[in-house]
Amino acid sequence: QVQLMESGGGSVQAGGSLRLSCAASGYSRNCKAWFRQAPGKEREVVGGILTGGLNTYYANSVIGRFTVSQDVAGKTVYLQMNSLKPEDTAMYYCTAGFWYGGSCQPDYWGQGTQVTVSS
């Protein structure tokens, strides 16, 4: 059993930064991943990280702007978002699962935190 809670969302101007946090409790999986979904859009992967921090991956749209990281204990995962664009506006979800095929396959989801970027 895994429980996830996202925080750190909010409203910013284009070009600004936000740092999302995901606190995990209960049974530990071996990876975490961030997803997002904007109104009228399909859910998409933002990025993920393998426990231990040896492997990370990102969507092409956020490479060079977003960074996924975790604390030493692996209990908190972060999404640092820089150079934000209006198209980054979405509900962001933290997930936990098992690493397979080069990415994290989630089976637990948080409630989400809203990120809004204005032009």
Side-chain angles (χ1 to χ4, degrees):
Q1 185 71 32
V2 177
Q3 294 181 322
L4 303 167
M5 182 66 71
E6 305 96 334
S7 62
S11 299
V12 298
Q13 295 286 330
S17 297
L18 283 174
R19 182 176 180 254
L20 306 184
S21 298
C22 174
S25 63
Y27 182 80
S28 297
R29 302 303 199 203
N30 72 350
C31 62
K32 302 291 194 300
W34 291 93
F35 289 75
R36 67 185 182 185
Q37 187 167 27
K41 303 279 189 177
E42 293 185 1
R43 184 184 65 202
E44 63 178 353
V45 176
V46 178
I49 187 167
L50 177 66
T51 299
L54 296 179
N55 297 95
T56 57
Y57 61 92
Y58 301 93
N60 288 337
S61 60
V62 307
I63 288 176
R65 300 189 298 121
F66 291 11
T67 303
V68 178
S69 62
Q70 64 186 341
D71 63 8
V72 175
K75 291 293 185 179
T76 304
V77 179
Y78 305 96
L79 181 65
Q80 178 66 48
M81 304 183 293
N82 299 324
S83 301
L84 283 161
K85 306 174 180 179
E87 52 262 45
D88 294 318
T89 295
M91 184 72 74
Y92 284 71
Y93 298 91
C94 176
T95 73
F98 290 102
W99 188 272
Y100 187 79
S103 64
C104 190
Q105 310 303 311
D107 56 358
Y108 288 92
W109 293 73
Q111 296 297 310
T113 185
Q114 179 68 39
V115 171
T116 302
V117 184
S118 60
S119 60

